[in-house]
Amino acid sequence: MAYRPSKKFKKTLFGSGAVVVLAALNAPAAVSFVGEKYHAYKIAQPGYKKRFGSWAPVEVPAGYSVNAIHAALLHTGKVLLIAGSGNDQKKFDSGTFDTILWDPKRNTFKKIPTPEDFFCSGHTQLADGRLLVAGGTARYEILDGEVKRAGGGMRVKNESPDKPITLKKGTVFRSPSGVEYVSKFDVTVPKAKRDFEVSYFKSGQMKPWKTKVTAAEARVFVEARKEGAQALTTQAAQYEIVGLKGADADNVYGLAQRLTTEKQDFQGIRGAYEFDPRAEKYIPVAPMKDARWYPTLVTLQDGKVLAVSGLNDVGDVVPGDNEIYDPKTKKWSKGPFRYFPTYPALFLTKGGKLLYTGSNAGYGPAEKGREPGLWDLKKNAFTKLGGLTDPDQLETSASLMLPPVQDQKVMVLGGGGVGESPKSTARTSIIDLSEETPAFRNGPALPQGTRYLSSVLMPDDTVFTTGGSEQYRGAGGSDILKAQFYDPGANAFAAAADPTVGRNYHSEALLLPDGRVATFGSDPLYGNQANTKLGSFEQRIEIFTPPALHRAGTDRPALGEGPQELDQNGRVTFRTKDAATITKARLMRPSAVTHTTDVEQRSVALGLTKTKDSVTVEVPLDRTLVPPGWYMLFVTDKDGISSEAKWVQVGGR
C-alpha cells in the first residue's frame, strides 16, 4: 500500500516549503544588503581612506540645484556652474537660463543672472582672471520624423555698397514659384565691397575709371510658412524678400539650395561675455563673426583667445573660419583657417604651436578633421601625428597635458566611435612632443572601454580619473563607478575609492584650491539597464578627498603671507614654518571644463629656494609654457601631501 502523508503533515510541509522558497527568492537581496553594509563600513575606515581616498556629497540648498553643463574655477576660489537652458527645451522656450556660483569653502550658492543661453558654449580663463564665455544655443534640434516644415540655410546677399541692411526675425522670403519661408532670427548683411581701378594714360588715351562691386553675404535659418511637400527643394534659386521696396528690393535677395524636412541640428549664437569674478556678473563684449555651438576656446601665449569650430547659425559645422579675441579691445578678428569637429581638444605647446589630440565631442563627418596633429598658427600649417591606437574612437575621449608641462607629454584616454556608435575603447596613448619625430605610444589600459572620462591634474604630479560610461550617454546602465590615479613616472594606474554617483555626458570634474576634486553633472539617455525608462539630469555634487590628505589630517604644509604677483624675474616668496619639509612646488592653471574637454588645466614645475622660514618659487618666463593668467600655487612635502593653494597672477595686466 502506497504511503500518503496526512493533512497535518501536508500543512507543515507546505509551510516549511514556503519559508524555504521565500528565503531562496530573497537571498540575492539579502546578500546585496549585507554586501552594501559591509562596503559602507569598509570605505569609512581610516586605513581605507588613507590608501584610496574618500567621496562625500555636497549639501545643495533647495532651489540651487542646476544642470551643470559647464564648470570653471575662478581665482576667487569659487566655481561657476553654467547651465543655460541645461539641455531642457522647455527652459529654452521660456527663456529661463541658469548660472550658479558655488563657494566650496563656505558651501554657499548664488544665482547669477544669465543673459543668453550659454548651453554648449565655449569658455577660457583670461589673463586678468575673468572668464570668457562665447557661443551657446540659438535653436534646439528637431529630430528626423519630427520636422513639419521645410527649412534650412538662406544666404542673404546685399549688392549695395552704400549701406548694410538688417532683416528682423520673421522676414519673409518668397521663391520664384510663390512658396514663402520665414526667418527665425535677425540678420545683418554688411554693405557690398566697392573696388576701384585707377585711371591712367595708355597710348596717349585716358583709360576711364572702373568700379567693381562684390556683394556682401550673411546667413539665416528659414522655415516654410506652411507644411507640405510644396516647400521642399534641392534646387538652387533666388528668393525675393517681401516688404523691401525701391533700391533695397533690387539689391537685397536670398539664395538657397536645400530646404528640406531632414533633421535640423542645434544652432549657435554669436554672443560673447566676460564673467567678472569680483562683480560676479556677465559683461557683454563684441559678438563673434560666426555663431558657434560646441566651440573650443583656447588661451594663447599673448593672452588672446582662439575660438575654433562649433555649429553655426544654420546648424552646420563652422567650415574652418576661426576667430581670435583680444581682451584689450574686447573685439574679434579673423584667425587661421582650419576645420575641426566640435569641441576639439587643442593644447598650447612649447614654442606656440597647438596640439590637436583628436579628442572631440562629436558633430562632423567621421572622415574629416579627426586626425591628431601639430598646428602652426603663424604659418597655418598642420603636421599630422601617427601611432594612435583606435583612431576611430576619439569622440568623447579625454585629453590632458601630463605634469609637469615642461616634459611636453600629452595623454589621450578612452573615447568612443562617431555619433551614437556602440564602440568604446580602454586605450590610453601618450605622445612626447620633445622627441625629434613625436608619435603616440600606448599607455596602460583603462579597466574597460570608457567614454566621457574626467581627468584632473593633481598637485603631486598624478592624474586623477573618474566616472564615464561604456556606452553612449550611459545607455544600458553602463556608467562606470570607478576612479583611479595615473602615475606618469611609473606609467601605471592605481585604484582610488569608487564614486557613488554615475557621470557620463555633460559631466565635469575639477581641482579645488584645497586639493580636493569636485564632480558635477551627467545627462544619461535612460534611467535603467533595459533602456525603457528615460534618464534624468544628475544634479548632485560629489567631492573626492585624495588619500594623501587623509594621511596628513591637519598636518599639511602651509604657505603664509606673500604677494600675488611675480617680480621681474618670475619669482615670489612666501613665509612658511614648513620650509624644511617642502620638496616641490607647482603652478596649477584653473579648469574651465565641459563635454570632457578641458584645454586650460596645466601643471608647471617651479624652481624652489628655501630658507628657515620662507620659500621662494621661480616661474618659467616662457609664456608658451605658462600662458598669462591666475594660477594656484601648491607646495608638496616628501610624502606627497600638498598645501592649500595660494593664488598667483602671471603676466597679463
Side-chain angles (χ1 to χ4, degrees):
M1 182 176 174
Y3 170 74
R4 294 173 185 243
S6 68
K7 289 183 180 180
K8 183 178 179 181
F9 182 82
K10 283 182 181 179
K11 283 184 179 180
T12 304
L13 183 64
F14 178 78
S16 301
V19 172
V20 171
V21 170
L22 286 172
L25 289 173
N26 286 307
V31 170
S32 176
F33 176 76
V34 171
E36 289 174 5
K37 285 291 186 183
Y38 175 71
H39 180 69
Y41 167 79
K42 181 178 72 171
I43 65 175
Q45 300 309 301
Y48 181 91
K49 292 180 179 181
K50 289 177 181 178
R51 184 177 176 189
F52 299 106
S54 66
W55 291 87
V58 171
E59 185 178 344
V60 180
Y64 290 92
S65 294
V66 68
N67 292 1
I69 307 295
H70 312 266
L73 177 63
L74 308 174
H75 76 278
T76 56
K78 298 178 181 180
V79 179
L80 196 68
L81 298 173
I82 305 174
S85 57
N87 205 15
D88 183 334
Q89 185 155 6
K90 290 181 180 178
K91 285 197 167 188
F92 175 81
D93 293 340
S94 67
T96 305
F97 309 136
D98 298 321
T99 300
I100 296 292
L101 189 62
W102 171 49
D103 184 341
K105 194 167 187 176
R106 298 175 178 83
N107 199 38
T108 57
F109 295 79
K110 178 181 178 181
K111 293 184 178 181
I112 303 295
T114 308
E116 296 195 56
D117 190 4
F118 296 140
F119 170 56
C120 294
S121 61
H123 33 65
T124 193
Q125 307 281 359
L126 297 176
D128 65 358
R130 297 189 184 201
L131 184 80
L132 177 65
V133 181
T137 304
R139 188 172 187 263
Y140 267 62
E141 68 180 356
I142 306 178
L143 301 176
D144 281 329
E146 297 179 9
V147 181
K148 304 302 181 185
R149 290 181 171 85
M154 180 71 68
R155 296 160 55 203
V156 187
K157 293 280 192 176
N158 180 12
E159 293 186 351
S160 170
D162 300 320
K163 64 177 183 178
I165 191 162
T166 297
L167 303 176
K168 293 294 186 181
K169 175 182 176 181
T171 296
V172 176
F173 293 78
R174 184 180 291 148
S175 75
S177 63
V179 180
E180 294 185 343
Y181 302 82
V182 180
S183 66
K184 307 302 289 185
F185 310 100
D186 295 349
V187 60
T188 297
V189 193
K191 62 184 180 181
K193 184 178 180 181
R194 180 188 280 132
D195 294 319
F196 296 101
E197 291 185 6
V198 180
S199 62
Y200 59 93
F201 282 99
K202 185 177 182 182
S203 302
Q205 294 184 340
M206 170 71 82
K207 187 174 181 180
W209 288 85
K210 288 186 178 180
T211 302
K212 179 183 177 183
V213 174
T214 304
E217 179 179 307
R219 292 184 309 270
V220 67
F221 188 85
V222 299
E223 190 174 69
R225 193 188 278 280
K226 297 179 181 179
E227 297 181 14
Q230 76 279 355
L232 300 173
T233 179
T234 57
Q235 300 297 317
Q238 183 168 315
Y239 291 73
E240 169 196 359
I241 298 176
V242 176
L244 291 186
K245 297 178 181 178
D248 286 347
D250 294 332
N251 290 325
V252 185
Y253 53 89
L255 294 175
Q257 180 160 345
R258 285 180 58 83
L259 298 170
T260 74
T261 54
E262 297 172 359
K263 176 191 173 184
Q264 296 171 358
D265 275 320
F266 282 93
Q267 294 166 16
I269 62 174
R270 293 179 174 83
Y273 292 77
E274 290 182 357
F275 184 81
D276 185 334
R278 298 296 186 192
E280 297 185 344
K281 66 179 182 179
Y282 290 105
I283 298 171
V285 296
M288 296 179 290
K289 177 182 177 293
D290 277 290
R292 299 181 190 271
W293 185 88
Y294 264 51
T296 291
L297 272 58
V298 56
T299 298
L300 305 176
Q301 64 265 33
D302 58 3
K304 295 179 181 178
V305 174
L306 178 68
V308 173
S309 192
L311 298 188
N312 61 22
D313 47 6
V314 295
D316 298 329
V317 178
V318 176
D321 300 296
N322 306 308
E323 302 178 56
I324 293 178
Y325 177 73
D326 187 340
K328 293 180 180 178
T329 64
K330 313 294 185 188
K331 294 180 179 179
W332 299 84
S333 60
K334 188 175 182 180
F337 184 90
R338 183 158 187 86
Y339 173 92
F340 293 94
T342 55
Y343 279 137
L346 294 161
F347 297 93
L348 180 65
T349 67
K350 184 176 175 60
K353 295 179 182 178
L354 294 183
L355 171 68
Y356 171 50
T357 62
S359 294
N360 66 88
Y363 292 97
E367 69 282 354
K368 186 178 180 182
R370 299 193 179 249
E371 289 186 82
L374 271 173
W375 186 18
D376 185 328
L377 299 180
K378 292 182 180 178
K379 299 178 180 178
N380 196 19
F382 190 84
T383 305
K384 293 180 180 179
L385 298 169
L388 192 66
T389 301
D390 295 337
D392 62 334
Q393 296 176 61
L394 284 167
E395 199 163 286
T396 66
S397 63
S399 294
L400 78 168
M401 300 196 79
L402 291 174
V405 69
Q406 287 93 330
D407 288 352
Q408 291 290 282
K409 292 182 179 179
V410 181
M411 188 176 195
V412 178
L413 304 96
V418 175
E420 299 182 22
S421 166
K423 290 182 178 179
S424 63
T425 178
R427 171 263 295 122
T428 72
S429 286
I430 300 167
I431 189 165
D432 185 345
L433 297 174
S434 67
E435 294 179 346
E436 187 174 342
T437 308
F440 285 94
R441 296 182 178 87
N442 283 348
L446 296 165
Q448 62 198 92
T450 308
R451 305 173 71 128
Y452 320 106
L453 183 71
S454 288
S455 54
V456 179
L457 298 176
M458 302 299 288
D460 65 354
D461 286 351
T462 61
V463 178
F464 178 67
T465 71
T466 181
S469 65
E470 191 163 16
Q471 296 185 38
Y472 176 78
R473 286 185 66 177
S478 64
D479 280 355
I480 300 168
L481 294 174
K482 296 288 182 186
Q484 48 271 319
F485 284 99
Y486 172 71
D487 182 345
N491 191 29
F493 283 104
D498 298 337
T500 62
V501 179
R503 308 283 183 189
N504 52 71
Y505 185 53
H506 288 151
S507 64
E508 305 86 36
L510 54 76
L511 178 68
L512 297 174
D514 62 9
R516 299 179 299 163
V517 175
T519 61
F520 319 89
S522 189
D523 195 2
L525 274 178
Y526 302 104
N528 62 345
Q529 192 168 357
N531 294 340
T532 57
K533 178 184 176 183
L534 289 177
S536 58
F537 203 102
E538 177 57 70
Q539 295 186 326
R540 287 176 292 174
I541 300 173
E542 195 171 26
I543 292 184
F544 176 75
T545 300
L549 298 190
H550 283 291
R551 295 196 301 270
T554 57
D555 189 21
R556 297 174 66 176
L559 294 176
E561 293 181 359
Q564 290 189 317
E565 295 180 12
L566 308 176
D567 67 17
Q568 61 183 3
N569 297 312
R571 299 189 184 100
V572 62
T573 299
F574 287 88
R575 306 287 295 179
T576 177
K577 61 180 178 56
D578 300 311
T581 64
I582 292 170
T583 58
K584 64 182 178 183
R586 296 289 183 264
L587 271 191
M588 311 285 290
R589 192 169 176 90
S591 287
V593 57
T594 185
H595 293 72
T596 319
T597 305
D598 186 354
V599 301
E600 283 293 276
Q601 62 171 341
R602 60 179 56 207
S603 175
V604 184
L606 306 181
L608 182 63
T609 304
K610 301 187 292 183
T611 68
K612 185 176 70 172
D613 57 1
S614 72
V615 293
T616 298
V617 297
E618 185 173 350
V619 178
L621 299 177
D622 185 344
R623 290 294 165 261
T624 64
L625 291 177
V626 195
W630 284 85
Y631 288 76
M632 292 180 284
L633 169 62
F634 290 93
V635 292
T636 306
D637 68 16
K638 61 181 176 57
D639 296 319
I641 298 168
S642 76
S643 66
E644 292 197 19
K646 290 286 188 178
W647 287 95
V648 176
Q649 189 177 23
V650 176
R653 277 198 174 276

